[in-house]
Amino acid sequence: PPPPPPKLQGPHPLSKWTIQALDEMLQALVMDDMNPDMLMLQNFLEIILPWLTLSEKGYEQARTLGTISRLLRFICNFPELSNMMEFSVSGQLMGTFGLFCMDPVQEISTRASEALHYLFKILVLQRNPRDCPHENPEAVGHSRSQRGIPALCGRLLFFLQFFKKYLTPGERADMIMTSMEAMTTASRHDSCAASKMLKCILKDSIPEVGKVPEIIQYICDNMNNITEITAQTIVQKILYLLAQTYTDEVILTLTKMEDQSHKGFRRPWEILASFPQSYKVIMEHLLQRLTSNQRANDQEPSQRTQLSPLIATRAIYELLLEPSRRIEVQAFFPSLFMALLFQISFLVVERSLDITQDQQHIAEWLDPVSCTVEALKTLMRSSGYGCYVSDIQALGGWALLTNPEGHYDGVTLLARTMVAKNCWHNCPIFSLILRILQELRYTNHLTALVFMTELLRSRDVAAIVDDVTVHVLAGCFQYEEPATVKLLLQMAEIFAKHGNMVKWGKGQGHALWRYCHLGKGRLVRQLCILQPYVLNCCYSLDNDIVVETFLVLKCLVEHLTWRHSASFIIQLTFTLGPFFEEESEYLRFIAFEIYGALLAKVKRRVLVFPLKYQILNLVVLLVLHLKDVNASVAQVRGKALESGLQAPVLMHGDHQSWVVKTLAFLSLQVCRSALCHTATTLGWYKLREVFAEKDVWTILKTLLEQETNKALWFLNQCISLFKSPQAPIRQVAVWFAGQIIPILRVEETKELEEAHTALKYMQKDPDSMVSCLATQTCYILEVRERMRQDSTLTSCFCWRRPWRH
């Protein structure tokens, strides 16, 4: 612009002609054939704008605004413009003109309003012609007659509407950046004007904005240069609004900047945490990103940038360091706790440490497992559980948690510590795990089950267990993984052991009454849901699961009563039958032990037919298993001891023989105990003393003498034991069959034929004693048959003296 003219009474004609000539020259230069070229206009504006933004002279700013205003007025008269899509300074112009609209100099603010009006008209004409305003005196600069606050309010209201409706996301970003640049200047007026403009356009919410990383970068770089209080508040609100709407871009930018700075970078995180609503929205978003890879087949298609779980974990850690948000952290604790624990399991167990492109800048200095563990520790400290962190550290829990081989031991230790210290969040965490298991979409169900198993030991957690919970656990049996099934079996055992399955009433006596009369009923109702699944595990192909199942069944029988679990006891009695002849010595031992404990629960007055039938059907088996011995020392070491028998496994020689004899002695004691309970249950009081003290042969003879009417039943039991893998048991079975056959009646010929066939087969038994006894018994049968035939032919007087030897 030319220098100011000398002070005259009116405008100097030369100045007026010069300005007119300049306007005509610029108008001619921007024309491209018949339409204005917007790229050429942009080039001119890049040259002219520094006279407006950098000059400190008011007349230069006024003349610059006037020149731009007249040029824009000329262009807005054309319906078509060349290269309008490439015109990229609309946002910068709108921000600059908006700032000068609030200039205290009237001439500058008026010309800025005119320039802004013509810029609006051009954009509306090109983007939505139907909304183009008609040229009228009021539209130009909102009327020269308007002054003061009313005019400013009118401009700002129109400004807000235009900002949201007609600017592109990139132009909005340019306008925001232009306004923030004004905040960093030394001029208090510029800072206040920028604050007012940004406060107006960001009054309710922020529309779609582009260049978010650039805005965040500028805010962080110039935060210390913005000293005016209102401006600082506006900048913080911009960061807050962007974080709510563009959380991924904001968090990723802050993380990259922190990585590049190599020093503490807390200020932006503190700002994000200073708004409670923003803190909640951001945490929910980060939690969603953290759990996105933990769900099976749950990939959300999106074109926008998404945070990786690692960066989400880092952001959670930074936000948790803000002490003023402890109330919000308490609300998020269960979800964040399990999400971070699942993430640790995912990284440690699944070994999914693949580095994606957006993680490469972080992976150089940040270990994913260590970062996640540190975030979990920070979460616990922020929630008031700092002592838990120290206790787990003392027990080596954090080291176990990061060790692939001991990871689940670390999870167990973590949960056990929370139960031991009666953590307030145990019940919310339990409810969350239950919802996770209901979805059956999480890949870390084993971690959830390990944690839930320990939580069930808590009295408060056990009090909220209901039928829905048990149904969910029953559904988890479908995984069929040995580790999962073992955990579910442990839960069933915990249900049986727990003494507080209902809420306690007032007073110890009332509590005891509620436990005895209500708790047991509720316990049994819940166990009834799990019983079919637990019993089905007895037939698993995994020997360890079978052993674990029998241990759980032993616990259940010990803690249940006939009154509350009659159907289960009956069903279990029939389930145990095949396992009395199990090859594994340890399984046989537990089966007999369970059967003995089960018989102790049964009272004669409540003995029902199915159970009585099964008890009678196992009498001979119990007697014969008094001869139960181990097959070999190797079998004891390989199956019995490794399956759970806590004996000196490392012993050799005589010590191994001692182990074999000890197990055989225990089996003998268990079978005798079961026989005594059988005698009591069936009312065989005379036989009880015989069962408790006599040897196998005496017991069988006495049993046959006392219960002669059940001789055929005993014979069928003997025949079934002909297939026993143990030779001593087969010997006694064949011998006892030989004692029964002579006293049978003639009418029972069919059963004798079946016994004869079985005995002929036993003549080929590899054990010589068994084959010899079978041959002798077959001879007795043949002699009996010949005598019967001869007696019927020679006389009607039958000689039927029974043989008893």
Side-chain angles (χ1 to χ4, degrees):
K7 294 183 179 180
L8 301 174
Q9 295 296 326
H12 196 281
L14 182 59
S15 175
K16 181 178 179 181
W17 295 337
T18 304
I19 292 174
Q20 184 178 355
L22 177 63
D23 292 341
E24 292 175 354
M25 179 185 67
L26 292 176
Q27 293 170 8
L29 288 175
V30 298
M31 291 299 294
D32 180 18
D33 292 334
M34 299 300 295
N35 298 317
D37 187 346
M38 298 303 290
L39 279 181
M40 183 64 68
L41 173 63
Q42 182 169 317
N43 293 334
F44 289 157
L45 291 175
E46 290 175 353
I47 298 173
I48 299 173
L49 279 177
W51 290 92
L52 174 63
T53 58
L54 301 180
S55 176
E56 297 180 357
K57 300 176 181 179
Y59 67 90
E60 290 182 352
Q61 294 174 337
R63 289 177 180 176
T64 304
L65 285 169
T67 300
I68 296 174
S69 174
R70 291 186 293 273
L71 185 58
L72 292 175
R73 183 179 61 184
F74 168 75
I75 293 174
C76 73
N77 292 319
F78 292 86
E80 295 183 6
L81 303 177
S82 302
N83 300 317
M84 183 61 194
M85 297 299 295
E86 287 76 18
F87 187 69
S88 60
V89 294
S90 299
Q92 181 182 356
L93 289 176
M94 185 173 176
T96 303
F97 296 158
L99 291 173
F100 280 97
C101 283
M102 290 176 277
D103 194 279
V105 179
Q106 178 182 343
E107 185 178 7
I108 293 177
S109 63
T110 301
R111 293 186 178 181
S113 298
E114 293 175 354
L116 189 60
H117 166 76
Y118 293 123
L119 175 63
F120 287 166
K121 189 173 181 178
I122 291 174
L123 295 176
V124 173
L125 180 65
Q126 298 300 316
R127 295 175 181 175
N128 196 349
R130 291 175 299 177
D131 295 341
C132 184
H134 298 287
E135 185 68 43
N136 55 66
E138 289 75 12
V140 181
H142 300 286
S143 178
R144 293 179 181 271
S145 61
Q146 294 181 352
R147 298 290 184 268
I149 299 299
L152 177 59
C153 293
R155 294 192 195 106
L156 292 179
L157 179 61
F158 182 69
F159 207 68
L160 172 62
Q161 296 173 350
F162 193 89
F163 176 81
K164 291 184 175 181
K165 187 174 182 180
Y166 294 103
L167 293 186
T168 64
E171 291 170 345
R172 297 190 189 111
D174 291 337
M175 181 179 171
I176 293 174
M177 292 282 286
T178 301
S179 302
M180 289 194 299
E181 289 175 0
M183 292 180 175
T184 60
T185 61
S187 173
R188 180 176 177 83
H189 165 72
D190 292 345
S191 179
C192 292
S195 300
K196 291 178 181 178
M197 185 170 65
L198 288 175
K199 184 178 181 180
C200 175
I201 63 177
L202 303 176
K203 183 177 181 181
D204 299 322
S205 61
I206 189 169
E208 185 178 358
V209 175
K211 304 179 182 179
V212 173
E214 289 84 347
I215 296 175
I216 300 300
Q217 181 83 37
Y218 186 86
I219 290 174
C220 296
D221 290 342
N222 297 275
M223 192 171 295
N224 295 330
N225 298 328
I226 302 175
T227 58
E228 206 271 326
I229 302 299
T230 305
Q232 290 178 351
T233 303
I234 293 297
V235 169
Q236 291 177 4
K237 185 176 181 181
I238 293 174
L239 183 59
Y240 152 68
L241 292 174
L242 289 176
Q244 278 193 317
T245 309
Y246 303 95
T247 308
D248 288 352
E249 290 86 341
V250 172
I251 297 298
L252 186 59
T253 303
L254 292 179
T255 309
K256 288 181 179 180
M257 292 179 64
E258 183 174 8
D259 178 30
Q260 296 167 0
S261 64
H262 300 289
K263 60 181 179 179
F265 190 75
R266 291 290 309 144
R267 179 64 174 160
W269 300 108
E270 292 173 358
I271 294 174
L272 293 180
S274 63
F275 296 90
Q277 186 62 29
S278 173
Y279 191 89
K280 179 180 178 181
V281 171
I282 295 173
M283 273 296 188
E284 289 177 347
H285 184 85
L286 293 175
L287 185 60
Q288 181 183 5
R289 289 289 178 258
L290 184 60
T291 58
S292 61
N293 69 321
Q294 298 171 4
R295 299 172 183 263
N297 303 322
D298 191 21
Q299 300 297 328
E300 299 179 359
S302 176
Q303 301 297 326
R304 291 179 52 188
T305 304
Q306 286 194 357
L307 294 179
S308 65
L310 176 59
I311 299 179
T313 302
R314 183 65 180 179
I316 289 172
Y317 168 76
E318 294 292 345
L319 291 173
L320 288 173
L321 291 176
E322 180 59 34
S324 62
R325 298 272 74 86
R326 289 200 171 183
I327 296 178
E328 287 78 7
V329 171
Q330 293 288 338
F332 280 101
F333 183 86
S335 300
L336 280 176
F337 183 88
M338 292 309 303
L340 292 172
L341 185 59
F342 285 159
Q343 183 66 9
I344 295 172
S345 297
F346 181 78
L347 294 171
V348 174
V349 179
E350 302 293 334
R351 297 182 181 275
S352 301
L353 300 179
D354 298 333
I355 300 175
T356 59
Q357 293 181 357
D358 61 346
Q359 294 175 342
Q360 290 178 357
H361 70 281
I362 290 181
E364 297 177 356
W365 60 273
L366 183 63
D367 175 58
V369 177
S370 299
C371 174
T372 311
V373 171
E374 192 61 33
L376 183 59
K377 292 180 182 179
T378 305
L379 172 64
M380 297 180 70
R381 293 191 187 100
S382 301
S383 303
Y385 301 131
C387 59
Y388 294 23
V389 177
S390 302
D391 291 345
I392 296 170
Q393 179 68 34
L395 296 172
W398 299 117
L400 284 173
L401 206 61
T402 58
N403 184 356
E405 297 179 357
H407 172 72
Y408 292 112
D409 293 333
V411 175
T412 301
L413 185 58
L414 179 61
R416 193 168 294 168
T417 302
M418 298 180 70
V419 171
K421 291 185 173 293
N422 198 24
C423 176
W424 182 85
H425 285 96
N426 284 341
C427 290
I429 290 176
F430 178 83
S431 300
L432 175 63
I433 293 176
L434 188 64
R435 292 196 299 271
I436 291 173
L437 294 176
Q438 282 179 304
E439 293 180 6
L440 294 178
R441 293 190 300 163
Y442 278 75
T443 59
N444 295 304
H445 65 273
L446 187 57
T447 301
L449 288 173
V450 170
F451 207 90
M452 176 182 264
T453 302
E454 295 302 320
L455 287 181
L456 283 173
R457 303 182 191 276
S458 167
R459 174 177 296 183
D460 295 334
V461 172
I464 65 174
V465 173
D466 54 8
D467 292 352
V468 175
T469 303
V470 184
H471 277 295
V472 173
L473 295 178
C476 291
F477 276 94
Q478 66 177 301
Y479 287 113
E480 297 183 354
E481 299 173 359
T484 300
V485 174
K486 287 182 180 180
L487 288 171
L488 294 169
L489 291 172
Q490 289 180 28
M491 292 183 192
E493 184 176 355
I494 292 172
F495 286 166
K497 290 182 177 180
H498 226 292
N500 186 37
M501 297 302 292
V502 295
K503 295 183 179 179
W504 294 74
K506 295 182 179 180
Q508 185 175 1
H510 183 62
L512 182 61
W513 181 88
R514 287 177 63 82
Y515 168 67
C516 294
H517 296 274
L518 301 178
K520 285 295 184 180
R522 180 182 173 201
L523 169 65
V524 172
R525 184 178 67 252
Q526 294 165 353
L527 283 176
C528 286
I529 301 173
L530 292 178
Q531 283 169 8
Y533 301 93
V534 174
L535 292 175
N536 187 56
C537 292
C538 293
Y539 307 101
S540 173
L541 299 178
D542 191 314
N543 187 63
D544 291 338
I545 291 181
V546 177
V547 172
E548 185 72 24
T549 304
F550 271 80
L551 293 175
V552 171
L553 289 174
K554 178 183 175 182
C555 176
L556 293 180
V557 172
E558 290 175 354
H559 289 82
L560 296 179
T561 63
W562 174 265
R563 175 185 175 186
H564 294 100
S565 53
S567 61
F568 172 68
I569 290 176
I570 295 172
Q571 187 177 4
L572 179 57
T573 305
F574 283 90
T575 303
L576 289 174
F579 293 94
F580 292 137
E581 293 297 323
E582 178 64 33
E583 184 179 359
S584 169
E585 287 79 7
Y586 187 60
L587 280 180
R588 288 204 308 273
F589 174 76
I590 301 179
F592 282 120
E593 195 173 24
I594 294 173
Y595 184 63
L598 184 149
L599 289 175
K601 303 283 184 180
V602 182
K603 304 301 179 183
R604 187 181 179 188
R605 56 185 176 84
V606 295
L607 189 61
V608 292
F609 172 72
L611 183 59
K612 184 177 181 179
Y613 174 87
Q614 183 66 0
I615 292 175
L616 285 170
N617 206 41
L618 295 175
V619 171
V620 176
L621 181 143
L622 286 175
V623 177
L624 266 60
H625 269 277
L626 292 175
K627 287 288 187 178
D628 192 302
V629 295
N630 291 313
S632 64
V633 175
Q635 192 176 20
V636 173
R637 287 179 53 78
K639 295 184 179 180
L641 298 181
E642 293 180 4
S643 297
L645 180 61
Q646 300 301 318
V649 180
L650 300 179
M651 293 184 177
H652 301 279
D654 296 337
H655 295 288
Q656 291 180 346
S657 300
W658 175 81
V659 172
V660 174
K661 295 177 181 178
T662 301
L663 187 57
F665 176 75
L666 291 175
S667 299
L668 179 65
Q669 296 300 317
V670 170
C671 289
R672 283 198 183 277
S673 176
L675 280 170
C676 292
H677 286 305
T678 300
T680 302
T681 303
L682 296 176
W684 295 348
Y685 299 109
K686 294 182 180 180
L687 288 173
R688 179 180 175 85
E689 183 177 351
V690 177
F691 288 164
E693 298 178 357
K694 303 301 180 179
D695 57 46
V696 175
W697 318 102
T698 305
I699 291 173
L700 290 175
K701 288 180 180 180
T702 307
L703 178 65
L704 188 58
E705 292 174 356
Q706 296 292 329
E707 300 293 333
T708 307
N709 60 332
K710 298 181 179 62
L712 185 59
W713 205 340
F714 295 155
L715 178 60
N716 291 331
Q717 295 179 41
C718 288
I719 294 174
S720 66
L721 289 170
F722 286 174
K723 300 178 182 180
S724 174
Q726 300 186 52
I729 293 179
R730 296 198 303 273
Q731 292 175 13
V732 181
V734 173
W735 177 86
F736 192 42
Q739 301 298 309
I740 296 172
I741 289 173
I743 68 172
L744 292 178
R745 296 188 299 271
V746 177
E747 294 81 3
E748 298 166 337
T749 305
K750 182 178 179 181
E751 286 74 12
L752 287 175
E753 291 178 357
E754 294 178 358
H756 195 189
T757 303
L759 287 169
K760 286 183 178 180
Y761 179 79
M762 294 302 293
Q763 291 179 6
K764 303 176 183 180
D765 193 273
D767 186 85
S768 58
M769 182 66 72
V770 174
S771 61
C772 181
L773 286 171
T775 303
Q776 293 178 7
T777 307
C778 287
Y779 176 75
I780 294 173
L781 272 174
E782 292 170 0
V783 171
R784 175 187 171 87
E785 180 63 22
R786 286 197 301 269
M787 291 178 61
R788 185 185 65 81
Q789 294 176 359
D790 293 343
S791 63
T792 54
L793 292 174
T794 59
S795 175
C796 62
F797 296 100
C798 298
W799 180 64
R800 293 190 59 198
R801 186 176 64 184
W803 292 16
R804 293 191 178 275
H805 56 273

